Amino acid sequence: MKSYSLGIDTSCYTTSLAIVDAHGEVLVDERIPLNVGDGQKGLRQSEAFYQHVLNLPGLFEKVATYADGVACISVSEKPRNNCDSYMPVFNAGTAFARAVSNLLALPIHYCSHQEGHIYSVMKESGINADLPFVAVHLSGGTAEIMNISVNGNRVESTIIGGSLDITAGQLIDRVGVMLGYAFPAGKALDGLVCESKDKSAYRTSVKNGYFNLSGIENMSEKDFADGVEPVEIIVKTFNCIANTLLEAFAQLDIANRVILMTGGVSASRFLKKALSRELKSIRFGPSGLCTDNAVGLARMGIGLSGVK
C-alpha cells in the first residue's frame, strides 16, 4: 500500500527532498546547500536554478528505495501563497515534480515555500492546526509576522508586521561577510554570541509592527570602520533583531498569543534564548527544520491527498 508523501523544495540556497509516512514522521530528509563563491553575498536566480538542476538527480537516487511507497508529491512553486509571488528558482523543482508525477501517475500539489516552512515545524511545536496562531518567518528572503489559519490543509496568512526593507537573514549575512565570514554567515555568528550576556544593541524604530533593518547594516559598517571589535558588532546586531521583534509583538498586542517561529534565522540559539526568556507562548521548532527543507511540503501532501 502506498502511504508515503514526497516533498521537493528548490529555494534560493538549498536543494531539498523529503519523504514522510502517513503520520508525518520523517523517513528521508536530504538537502544540498548551493555553492556561493568566497566574498559573495548571494546567488543570481539563474545560478541557483542551474545548481538545483544538477543537484536533484543525486537526491532522487538517495530516495529511490522508497519509490514504490510514494502516494503523492508536494512541491514549492513560489515563495509565498499569493497570486503575484514568483521566483524562477522554483521552476527547477516543479519541472522534476511534474516529470515524476506523469511517469508514476501520482497526484501533485503545488504549494509555496513559506507554507512548507510553517508546516515543517508545526508538528514538533505542538501547534493545533484547527486554531489560528501567529507565525514569524525569518530567513534570508523573508521577515514577516503573520496571522495564520490552516484550512483544507493549506496555510492562509495575513501579514501584520515585519521588515519594510532588508530581512533579518540579509542583515546577518551582510554583517558576517563584512567581518570576513563565509556566506551564509548566520550559524557561525550565532555560535559566537549564543551565550553572550551583553545587552548592547543597535536601535531601529518600530511602527505598528513594521520596521526597517537597513540602517542597522549602516551602523555596523561604521562601527567596523571605527575599529569596534567584531564580536561586539555581532552582539549588537543580534540583540537588535531580538529587541525589534519584541517591540513589534508588543505593538501588535500578540505577545500572549501562540507565536510560531520558523525560517533559517529562527534556528538561532541566541534568538531562541532571548525571545523565550521574555515570551512564554513563543514556540521554536527543531533548528534543523527551521532552515530550508522539504519536510513541511511532504507533510502537507499527507492531508492534501488523504494518505493513510
Side-chain angles (χ1 to χ4, degrees):
M1 179 180 177
K2 293 188 174 184
S3 59
Y4 300 155
S5 176
L6 168 67
I8 304 170
D9 185 63
T10 51
S11 67
C12 291
Y13 296 108
T14 309
T15 314
S16 304
L17 215 65
I19 293 178
V20 303
D21 65 17
H23 304 289
E25 296 298 327
V26 180
L27 303 176
V28 178
D29 179 8
E30 294 286 346
R31 314 176 201 181
I32 300 178
L34 304 188
N35 293 318
V36 179
D38 292 343
Q40 293 184 3
K41 299 180 181 179
L43 287 171
R44 296 185 181 91
Q45 287 284 301
S46 58
E47 294 172 329
F49 178 91
Y50 178 68
Q51 290 192 45
H52 285 312
V53 171
L54 296 181
N55 290 340
L56 281 166
L59 292 185
F60 274 102
E61 289 177 8
K62 290 186 176 182
V63 305
T65 55
Y66 292 89
D68 290 343
V70 173
C72 63
I73 304 170
S74 293
V75 60
S76 55
E77 66 169 343
K78 55 188 175 182
R80 298 185 66 256
N81 198 20
N82 58 42
C83 59
D84 60 352
S85 181
Y86 173 74
M87 275 190 178
V89 72
F90 291 103
N91 291 334
T94 58
F96 275 77
R98 286 174 59 193
V100 175
S101 172
N102 289 328
L103 179 65
L104 302 180
L106 297 175
I108 183 170
H109 307 289
Y110 296 98
C111 307
S112 74
H113 177 72
Q114 187 171 76
E115 284 181 292
H117 265 301
I118 293 170
Y119 253 90
S120 69
V121 294
M122 284 173 57
K123 180 180 175 67
E124 286 78 5
S125 300
I127 294 291
N128 184 347
D130 295 330
L131 300 176
F133 58 94
V134 175
V136 181
H137 182 184
L138 293 182
S139 67
T142 306
E144 295 175 350
I145 305 170
M146 300 165 284
N147 278 325
I148 299 293
S149 60
V150 179
N151 295 305
N153 297 292
R154 296 301 300 266
V155 174
E156 296 182 1
S157 63
T158 302
I159 299 174
I160 57 175
S163 178
L164 295 172
D165 49 21
I166 66 172
T167 69
Q170 287 174 318
L171 173 61
I172 291 170
D173 285 331
R174 291 177 184 182
V175 169
V177 171
M178 176 187 70
L179 297 177
Y181 292 87
F183 181 98
K187 186 175 182 179
L189 270 56
D190 186 56
L192 288 173
V193 303
C194 65
E195 300 302 328
S196 174
K197 293 180 172 57
D198 185 352
K199 301 298 183 182
S200 61
Y202 297 118
R203 293 183 59 83
T204 187
S205 62
V206 182
K207 185 175 181 180
N208 299 323
Y210 290 92
F211 46 85
N212 296 85
L213 295 176
S214 58
I216 308 307
E217 181 184 7
N218 296 333
M219 294 178 201
S220 69
E221 289 174 347
K222 182 178 184 304
D223 274 356
F224 183 62
D226 291 342
V228 175
E229 288 295 320
V231 172
E232 182 178 343
I233 294 173
I234 298 167
V235 167
K236 289 165 73 174
T237 300
F238 275 72
N239 275 331
C240 175
I241 294 171
N243 294 343
T244 300
L245 288 172
L246 289 170
E247 177 60 26
F249 296 160
Q251 290 184 7
L252 294 168
D253 194 24
I254 59 173
N256 292 321
R257 294 181 60 190
V258 173
I259 301 174
L260 178 66
M261 302 291 297
T262 191
V265 178
S266 295
S268 162
R269 289 182 294 160
F270 178 90
L271 285 181
K272 181 177 182 178
K273 184 177 180 180
L275 296 179
S276 298
R277 186 170 54 237
E278 301 295 329
L279 300 174
K280 301 303 181 185
S281 61
I282 199 162
R283 301 184 187 181
F284 288 78
S287 60
L289 293 179
C290 287
T291 53
D292 285 354
N293 66 82
V295 171
L297 294 164
R299 286 175 170 171
M300 287 183 70
I302 295 296
L304 292 171
S305 290
V307 174
K308 297 180 180 179

